[in-house]
Every structure is written in structure tokens, then in C-alpha cells.
Amino acid sequence: MTNKFFLSILLTTLSLSALAERIQMVTMGRKFTLVTPSAQTANRPLLVVLHGCKQNPSLMLEGTQLEEEAEKGNFYLLLPEQPNYYNIDHCWNWFIGFQQIRAKANEMGQIISAIEILKDEYRVDADKIFVTGISAGGVMAHNLT
């Protein structure tokens, strides 16, 4: 009886993210983390999550339960990374005029290109693409919509 009890505790404490897969990808010179749920189904939603200043995709995933939610909700997560060579504090440059327009060579263009690639290579439901962010990532998410 006690073995079953400990086994059930162990199984309930294992993270659902162990079932999801983290894929590192590079698009137009920018790194992205893609979280794919384990279920193989067509037309999954996509949630793009933009980190805040002094953060990165790994910190966002470690500090939230987004991977677990993606696994439970069967949706993709895409987390672009803002490296320090674009901004010393890893902030999205939403405050620069060029970054506020849709252009292929800027931050928005790189994110949009990654979304387009995912729509083609993975089974992403084009009607269910969402974007959110924290701090500077929230402002950039607003600019993307």
C-alpha cells in the first residue's frame, strides 16, 4: 500500500512539461524556443509569448506554468529571444520608430516570419494565433496585433 502511495505522489509531482518538447530554432538570425505538446493533432493554436527586460525564454518558462498549460491545452508556445546585442537589457525596442512598423528586417518582421514558418511546417490553426508579453514584451505584443 505504501509503495502505491509513493508512486502516486511521484507521478503527480512529475511536470507535464516533461511530455512537451522544447525546440530551439533560428529564423532571420533570431533565436526562438518552440514548445510542442506531445499529442499529435491537426490545427493547434499558437501562443507567442514575449519576455520582459532582463529576461529570456528560459526564464519565462521556468517562472510560469506555460509549458504545462500548453501540454494540457494542446497548443504551441513560441518564445522569441531578445539578445543583448539588440538591447543591453534584453528589452524589446518597441520605443524605436522603426520597430513600430511591420518590416522584414526589424523585430516584428522576425517574429512574424517565425509565425509564418510555423504555420507552414507545423499544423498551426491560422485563426487561433495569439500574442502576449510582460513589460516591454507586452508593448511589443500590442504593436504586433
Side-chain angles (χ1 to χ4, degrees):
M1 179 108 150
T2 54
N3 287 342
K4 287 183 183 179
F5 175 75
F6 288 118
L7 180 61
S8 69
I9 290 175
L10 175 65
L11 291 176
T12 57
T13 59
L14 288 176
S15 171
L16 285 173
S17 65
L19 303 174
E21 181 181 5
R22 284 190 196 180
I23 299 170
Q24 301 301 314
M25 55 187 267
V26 177
T27 300
M28 297 180 66
R30 181 172 300 279
K31 292 180 183 178
F32 293 83
T33 299
L34 175 66
V35 176
T36 62
S38 59
Q40 299 296 318
T41 59
N43 299 323
R44 291 184 191 156
L46 170 65
L47 176 61
V48 180
V49 180
L50 302 171
H51 62 76
C53 296
K54 300 183 181 184
Q55 296 179 336
N56 60 43
S58 294
L59 285 173
M60 288 291 293
L61 292 173
E62 291 167 14
T64 66
Q65 294 181 344
L66 287 171
E67 278 180 295
E68 290 85 353
E69 292 302 318
E71 180 66 30
K72 286 192 286 190
N74 195 29
F75 61 88
Y76 292 110
L77 279 175
L78 180 66
L79 297 100
E81 182 177 340
Q82 179 68 309
N84 66 352
Y85 53 83
Y86 286 137
N87 184 295
I88 193 71
D89 288 324
H90 301 271
C91 296
W92 297 97
N93 294 307
W94 57 268
F95 48 86
I96 298 173
F98 175 68
Q99 301 296 350
Q100 297 174 0
I101 59 173
R102 290 179 184 246
K104 290 189 181 219
N106 69 3
E107 295 169 356
M108 277 203 288
Q110 292 169 330
I111 295 167
I112 292 168
S113 292
I115 292 168
E116 293 300 321
I117 289 168
L118 291 178
K119 283 173 31 182
D120 292 340
E121 292 185 15
Y122 293 82
R123 295 179 281 191
V124 172
D125 186 340
D127 294 326
K128 293 181 180 173
I129 298 174
F130 308 94
V131 62
T132 190
I134 295 174
S135 185
V139 178
M140 183 59 85
H142 172 75
N143 289 346
L144 279 162
T145 58

